[in-house]
Amino acid sequence: MDVDQSARSNAQEYFGIKDPDYYEFEAHVFFDDGMTTNSDSERACNIFVKTLVDVIDSAASSIHQASMVIAPPIKSPTPYGARLTWTLPGGNLFFVHVKDKQKIRHKKRWSQVMYMYYLLGYRLMGNSDEGIYMNQSEIGGKKRTPARVNSMGNINDMKSRSKIFRQMDHIQRAQAENTYLLTLDGDIDFKPESVTLLVDRMRKNPKVGAACGRIHPIGTGPMVWYQKFEYAIGHWLQKAAEHMLGCVLCSPGCFSLFRGSSIMDDNVMRTYATKSTEARHYVQYDQGEDRWLCTLLLQQGYKIEYCAAADASTFAPETFREFFNQRRRWIPSTLANMMDLLSDYHRTVIINDNISYLYIMYQAVVTGASLLAPATVILMMAGAVHVVVGGSLYWLWLGLSVGASIFYLIVCFKCKSSTQITVAGYMSTFYAILMLAVTVGIVVQTAQDTWTSPNAMFIIILTGIFLVAGLLHPEEFLCLVPGVLYFLCIPSGFLLLFIYSMTNLNVISWGTREVVIPSEHPPGGANSKANTSIIVTGCDSFKDFLGNCFCCIRHKLSNMFTAEQNRNQAPKKDEIVREIMAELDRIEAGRPDGAGSGYTTPRNLYGSNSDINKDYERNRIGGGMIPQRQESIVKQLNDIHGDGKKSSDGGADKFKDSESVIYARGRSSDDPYYQSVPNEPRIRRDDLVNPYWITEKELKRGPVRYLDNIETQFWQKLIDKYLNPLKQDKGHQDKITSELVSLRNNASFLFFMLNFLWLFIIFLLQIVQDQLKDTLYIAIPRGGDIHEGDEKHFEPLSVAFLVFFALIIMIQFVSMLFHRYGTFLHILSSTRLRCCSKKYKPIGVEDIVETVKVKLFISIGMRF
């Protein structure tokens, strides 16, 4: 993205062209729980942050295909922890936000709330208090502001939006409409062309609130092969059908583009910041946060689209345990959000022009079929084994199939999670072998009943649809090969996995991509601490932002002490502080915000506001952070020279450079800047002035710059309003745990009763089949000369379910055909056809951009 944006910028500047796809770009990475306590009881950046700093040069060299050294990051103490800022080779800014869970609420959803309010509320809106910080009573799960609907049944655009939009002028509204947030996981791989295709979806229809691309799972092992087929079929058929029939229900957070104005709209961003207070909130809000965000967008009237040409790759779970834990989160959260959407379907249909009652009915049918999947698998396996073995032992095979499911259900209720997954692994192996018998049974049954039987026709149609879908996706055709493995794992994926997910609905841990870091303190010591789970969240980049939002202030303390100072006379602290503050004022007065550093504040980026500027100047001079820093410096000087004694080194100047106060450390032996100074005194820390982490070697010695007063107040207000660390209330935790167990029991009872009733009805119909064969059962003639005139009778509910499922597949297949045609037109519109162009036609924009990219690579290689 950095190379592409830089090339487009240079092409416009030096070639005088107008690039219709030009964009401005920033990258933000949020480290959730990115701070740890070291052996000196100081808050330091964890190993993941230090690893990023260590490998950023290698990453840049890999992308630019040349040996590169990126300048050390700018370090900025913040109310939430730390911020590191790099300037990438293309001139774009790369921010790393390191969250300290002792200062700000951690976990993924709260990181998303954090960057939504920061990027959209502060950077775009300029910290409009009335619009950003609404009363807490105004937000909540079901307390949504009723939309205003006109006489035509359509939602009014501006009148239905939140107070934020009514406070905006037309320039801010246009900026909000054309600001996009690209949400990514940390392991995602994509190309800028994929982002351009997603932006095309946004520009085509202003009511598109989000767009997602085609996700390709990568990795090694059988579990990844299984997911390759699963993802392929899910995108080819299910997402394409949702796109064509109504709206995509889930835009995955690993690679999706969100429109800034849609996130800022009423009942979206504020509702998304709702704290979980009930058991169902933990399932719907925290276990599937990306799906819940999409549900809020749909209920506010926005459309979510799927772009099949926007490819991205992500690492999928490679172990059976990690896969089961991932789906243990996905399945309950999917069902919870679907129930939320279906329960409020009438309002959603009125508000959202892209969702109809037929589409709601389609989703209800698909959800119902998914809930009955376990019973369907049991019947399929019992029937297939009966066909292979023969005789009158159908009830025995059915009983064994039901008994195995009940056995695993008991294991899930009585044993711990690791035991449940181990048992599921063994049972999955047994079921895979048993599915070979199912395959033989299908072949035998097809031979006996000929191709006219419902089972044979269904298999033929399903196979044909998959083959045609693969041919229409030629680059992904090999994804059909793991379909054999997927077939053998049907009992594991639709029976065992469903049982595991429903019986562990009360478990709200993440389960995947968590690394337990052992405490650095010795066990049993005074400072011993429990292990900490670190979760690294994804990177999020967006358009139409050029700068950072803090003043470029650097402490210049070189005049603090002079060589001619009397060694026996204690320095006058007040005079020193006045000199320091005078230097700070001189720096701020002589350098405007962001001058010479690539940083701009929201005032410079989105237009000035005289009131904000006056308030800012008043706070900067008369109050705010300056007095706090002054007080902190006085305290530090008191600690160092409070007794007026000489230095232990015979009076030599202890401070090696002008940033001595900032970089002083508790242990001089660990201090990269004061290793030669013995007995360095411990400095009192101020987290917004001289936190310990800015002195760490691994973060390199980049300049230290502070947030301005406005941004500091923004973070303090935001944390106080929405992101305060949750207090460990044992009574509340016990209450939520009890409610989660109750929710698990109720949901499991309903789920298993539905499947039991389905099995029981089929069981009763099988018992009375002789009496009902001539009346209720469906008679289908057998084809061929051998069976001419003979008829085969099939149980009606099973045939109806089979036909219904086949009808859903056919609807998805037809939708896929239309979607592929739309994708073809989309690619064609953005592709330059050289064969049809004139011989001497001027060079196009994309040709110039590609040429600039090549020259940029060459110049970078020569420079480094």
Side-chain angles (χ1 to χ4, degrees), residues 802-821:
L802 203 62
V803 171
F804 210 64
F805 189 74
L807 181 61
I808 293 176
I809 296 294
M810 287 299 300
I811 292 174
Q812 293 179 346
F813 177 71
V814 174
S815 300
M816 182 203 67
L817 295 179
F818 283 98
H819 189 266
R820 291 308 292 169
Y821 177 71

Side-chain angles (χ1 to χ4, degrees), residues 182-190 214-216 218 253-256 311-315 513 538-539:
L182 179 66
T183 61
L184 306 170
D185 278 350
D187 58 3
I188 201 73
D189 185 19
F190 67 99
R214 167 69 164 97
I215 309 300
H216 300 268
I218 56 177
C254 61
F255 183 69
S256 293
D311 294 305
S313 301
T314 184
F315 283 91
R513 299 186 182 184
C539 163

Side-chain angles (χ1 to χ4, degrees), residues 325-341:
N325 282 329
Q326 181 194 66
R327 301 310 167 94
R328 184 256 299 161
R329 289 188 292 108
W330 285 8
I331 292 176
S333 64
T334 298
L335 293 176
N337 280 280
M338 181 61 69
M339 295 304 171
D340 185 12
L341 189 64

Side-chain angles (χ1 to χ4, degrees), residues 15 239 273 296 366 377 448 531 545 590 631 637 695 749 837:
F15 289 86
K239 278 202 180 299
L296 294 176
V366 172
V377 171
Q448 292 177 351
N531 294 341
F545 294 109
E631 181 182 356
L637 295 175
T695 67
F749 177 78
S837 61

Side-chain angles (χ1 to χ4, degrees), residues 30 32 99 107-115 537:
F30 287 78
D32 200 26
K99 295 172 57 181
K107 293 191 176 180
K108 184 177 180 180
R109 179 162 69 95
W110 300 114
S111 293
Q112 293 174 335
V113 171
M114 177 180 170
Y115 72 67
T537 63

Side-chain angles (χ1 to χ4, degrees), residues 513 699 771:
R513 299 186 182 184
L699 301 184
Q771 293 89 332

